[in-house]
């Protein structure tokens, strides 16, 4: 295992990360490592703009609600920001504007009014104070009491998708990128359309793609080089439907993994990891642009998992940890293996050597955790090492080997040159059956048989089990080797662990434990005591309680209270499947708390009383002994802010 501290690397134009400076004049063809950035393990995301007219700048989202802005004029300016009582959900970047979305559905902005472009990219802010000096709430949404689900940005335009599927936009509309039927720029957000589920944009583009609830794909904006995949006009002012069945060979948009609009071209990755493109690719090449989406034949024998790019450059990352670049050579060649200078155009992708740091990690890191950020003329590589409490809890479960309920017996060859039975030794690996079956989709005995039918080393199995337990990053080839042995074409996407836990929460049939809660009209006859009281299945008093089904493993993993309780039971008591909850909380509050244990989110429905729920959950973090790195209190604070209960 590599013991180096994680690092950020950058290459391209106007960059010098050795001193963490974004420079206006110099080009930097070689990878440069930052020596100034601290607390890198807390980095969630990096977005940047190094547009040639504006001053270069970069925003780093760190931890729960911390931001660092690096802004270079004549000297380096570094500013730190935080959003009190909020948890950041996402950040996006335009030429002169940063949008920050919080879990509570509010949008904040950092913007610079001091140079071109004009005020249209500063959404509804005090223009006299709207520099990079302070984060400001985009008050339009606060006044309308709207909940923003996701945000997006092009160079000069911003997009806001609400939880009811309505899409709004603001900023420049000179190319029709807002899709409102004209080219009138919008200082404040304006309604675009409804029934939208996802929006795709790019900092160097002037167009927008979005997917609707009926699984159709629409696009609008600049179409000078047919980068929208349609042949109508130079400017598509109202969204037009793209025939994905004809040109992408898919039936609906559920088979689309990623859409990346760039300056003069657009790329689409489908769920079988095929790469399609339309428009002028690469830029500055005199050949006729591609009018409709077609597969990029260079990658026909590869699986592309990420596509990034700026104004004149494109980068693709494959599942084999290989990075390819094409476009203007001085941007694409961030290694000194290419000595010639100038602006030669790479018409076809060329493999780019990764820094040694990443090469040394490839045996243990899945390429989906290698993060790529692109400005107009630069590329950044870094690892997302964010571990929320939900991951840390399951990591601790994996490392402790406690509460395991199944032993996988695997045979390893003592001598690699011999497969004789006498040269094999058995190895017992204790696991949790629930997690194995959830993450692999296989019954536990089938999983064991596959391990014995294929050649996996003990180290390989251990690396794969880390992914099973806490979505850790592993070698891509090894990852594919396992799923190929399952006879499965499916490859879980990055971050699939949280999605699987949500699926587990909704699976009532697999729940094996009950929390017993007194109904409101019943008077509590028992004295309160931490830890509660254990009940066998045949207790006559069960009819006085409401039963909340849960997975026992979730209680043990996420709550210190239940770990202590079950750890002190004798063997006979460990067979019980019910426990009375003595927290004094209502059924509604406990059900919301239980869902939090699976999802790391506190979510209310229209029928819930926010004031009551928040009051009852105020001490839940301490009472249930949640991980000290839990975001539980932040979630409560977000609810207070949302419902004005501060």
């Amino acid at each position: 295992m590599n013991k180096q501290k994680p690092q950020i690397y950058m290459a391209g134009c106007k960059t010098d990360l050795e001193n963490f400076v974004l420079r206006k004049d110099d080009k930097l063809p070689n990878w440069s490592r930052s020596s100034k950035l601290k607390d890198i393990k807390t980095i969630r995301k990096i977005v940047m703009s190094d547009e040639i007219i504006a001053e270069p700048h970069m925003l780093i989202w760190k931890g729960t609600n911390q931001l660092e802005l690096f802004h270079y004029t004549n000297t380096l300016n570094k500013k730190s920001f935080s959003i009190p009582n909020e948890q950041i959900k996402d950040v996006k970047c335009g030429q002169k504007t940063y949008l920050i979305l919080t879990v509570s559905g509010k949008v904040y902005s950092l913007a610079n009014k001091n140079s071109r472009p004009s005020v249209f990219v500063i959404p509804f802010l005090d223009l006299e104070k709207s520099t990079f000096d302070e984060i400001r709430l985009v008050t339009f949404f606060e006044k309308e009491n709207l909940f923003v689900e996701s945000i997006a940005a092009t160079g000069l335009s911003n997009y806001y998708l609400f939880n009811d599927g309505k899409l709004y936009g603001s900023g420049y509309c000179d190319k029709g990128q807002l899709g409102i039927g004209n080219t009138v720029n919008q200082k404040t957000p304006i309604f675009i359309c409804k029934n939208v589920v996802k929006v795709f944009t790019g900092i160097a583009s002037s167009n927008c793609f979005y997917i609707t609830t009926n699984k159709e794909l629409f696009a609008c904006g600049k179409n000078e080089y047919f980068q929208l995949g349609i042949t109508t006009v130079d400017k598509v002012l109202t969204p037009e439907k793209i025939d994905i069945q004809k040109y992408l060979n898919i039936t609906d948009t559920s088979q689309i993994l990623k859409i990346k609009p760039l300056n003069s071209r657009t790329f689409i990755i489908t769920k079988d990891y095929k790469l399609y493109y339309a428009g002028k690719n690469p830029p500055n090449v005199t050949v006729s642009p591609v009018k409709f989406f077609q597969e990029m034949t260079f990658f026909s024998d590869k699986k592309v998992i990420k596509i990034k790019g700026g104004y004149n450059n494109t980068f693709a990352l494959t599942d084999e940890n290989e990075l390819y670049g094409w476009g203007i050579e001085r941007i694409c060649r961030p290694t000194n293996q290419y000595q010639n200078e100038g602006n030669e155009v790479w018409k076809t992708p060329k493999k780019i050597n990764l820094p040694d740091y990443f090469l040394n990690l490839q045996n243990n890191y899945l390429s989906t955790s290698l993060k790529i950020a692109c400005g107009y003329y630069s590329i950044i590589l870094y690892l997302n090492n964010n571990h929320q409490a939900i991951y840390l809890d399951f990591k601790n479960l994996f490392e402790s080997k406690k509460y395991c309920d199944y032993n996988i017996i695997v045979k390893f060859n003592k001598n690699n040159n011999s497969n004789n039975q006498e040269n094999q030794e058995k190895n017992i690996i204790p696991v949790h059956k629930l997690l194995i079956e959830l993450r692999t989709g296989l019954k536990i005995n089938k999983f064991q048989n596959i391990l014995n039918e294929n050649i996996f080393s003990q180290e390989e199995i251990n690396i794969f089990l880390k992914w099973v337990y806490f979505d850790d990053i592993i070698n891509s080839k090894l990852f594919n080797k396992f799923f190929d042995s399952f006879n499965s074409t499916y490859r879980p996407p990055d971050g699939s662990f949280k999605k699987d836990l949500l699926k587990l929460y909704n699976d009532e049939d697999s729940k094996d434990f009950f929390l017993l809660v007194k109904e409101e009209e019943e008077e509590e006859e028992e004295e309160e005591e931490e830890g509660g009281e254990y009940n066998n299945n045949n207790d006559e008093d069960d009819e006085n309680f409401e039963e909340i089904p849960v997975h026992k493993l979730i209680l043990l993993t996420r709550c210190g209270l239940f770990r202590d309780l079950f750890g002190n039971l004798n063997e006979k008591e460990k067979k019980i499947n019910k426990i009375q909850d003595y927290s004094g909380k209502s059924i509604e509050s406990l059900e919301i708390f239980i869902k939090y244990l699976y999802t790391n989110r506190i979510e209310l429905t229209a029928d819930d009383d926010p004031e009551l729920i928040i009051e009852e959950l105020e001490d839940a973090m301490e009472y249930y002994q949640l991980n000290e790195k839990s975001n539980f209190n932040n979630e409560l604070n977000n609810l207070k802010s949302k419902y004005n209960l501060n």
Side-chain angles (χ1 to χ4, degrees), residues 43-47 59-62 90-92 382:
I43 286 182
R44 300 287 301 277
K45 188 175 182 180
I46 299 176
V47 290
L59 188 69
I60 300 176
W61 167 21
K62 302 173 66 174
D90 197 10
V91 295
K92 298 291 185 181
Y382 65 103

Side-chain angles (χ1 to χ4, degrees), residues 93-142:
C93 178
Q95 282 187 19
K96 303 295 291 181
T97 306
Y98 291 102
L99 294 180
I100 301 106
L101 175 66
T102 66
V103 172
S104 63
K106 295 180 181 178
V107 179
Y108 293 79
S109 177
L110 271 169
N112 189 358
K113 70 178 182 64
N114 291 332
S115 61
R116 201 177 75 88
S118 74
V119 298
F120 292 109
V121 297
I122 305 173
F124 212 70
L125 295 172
D126 182 347
L127 302 183
E128 294 303 316
K129 298 180 180 179
S130 297
T131 65
F132 283 141
D133 291 333
E134 66 177 305
I135 291 179
R136 296 208 157 208
L137 180 67
V138 182
T139 54
F140 175 85
F141 308 115
E142 186 180 51

Side-chain angles (χ1 to χ4, degrees), residues 41-56:
K41 288 186 177 181
T42 66
I43 286 182
R44 300 287 301 277
K45 188 175 182 180
I46 299 176
V47 290
M48 67 174 300
S49 175
D50 52 3
E51 194 267 334
I52 193 168
I53 298 174
E55 297 89 349

Side-chain angles (χ1 to χ4, degrees), residues 511-518 531-535 542 545-552 555 559 561-562 565-566 576-583 585-587 589-591 593-595 597-598 623-624:
K511 291 180 178 177
D512 57 0
F513 203 81
F514 296 94
L515 279 184
L516 303 180
V517 188
K518 281 272 190 179
E533 174 183 301
Y534 299 98
N535 296 274
D542 282 358
F545 293 87
E546 182 82 13
E547 295 183 341
I548 301 178
V550 71
H551 295 89
K552 182 179 180 180
L555 295 179
C559 298
L561 171 67
F562 292 108
L565 292 176
F566 289 108
I576 59 97
N577 69 345
K578 297 179 182 180
I579 184 173
Q580 183 176 339
D581 183 89
Y582 278 95
S583 66
K585 305 181 191 326
S586 66
I587 295 171
S589 295
L590 274 174
E591 287 178 336
F593 174 75
I594 292 299
K595 187 172 183 180
L597 297 181
Y598 288 83
Y623 181 85
Y624 289 103

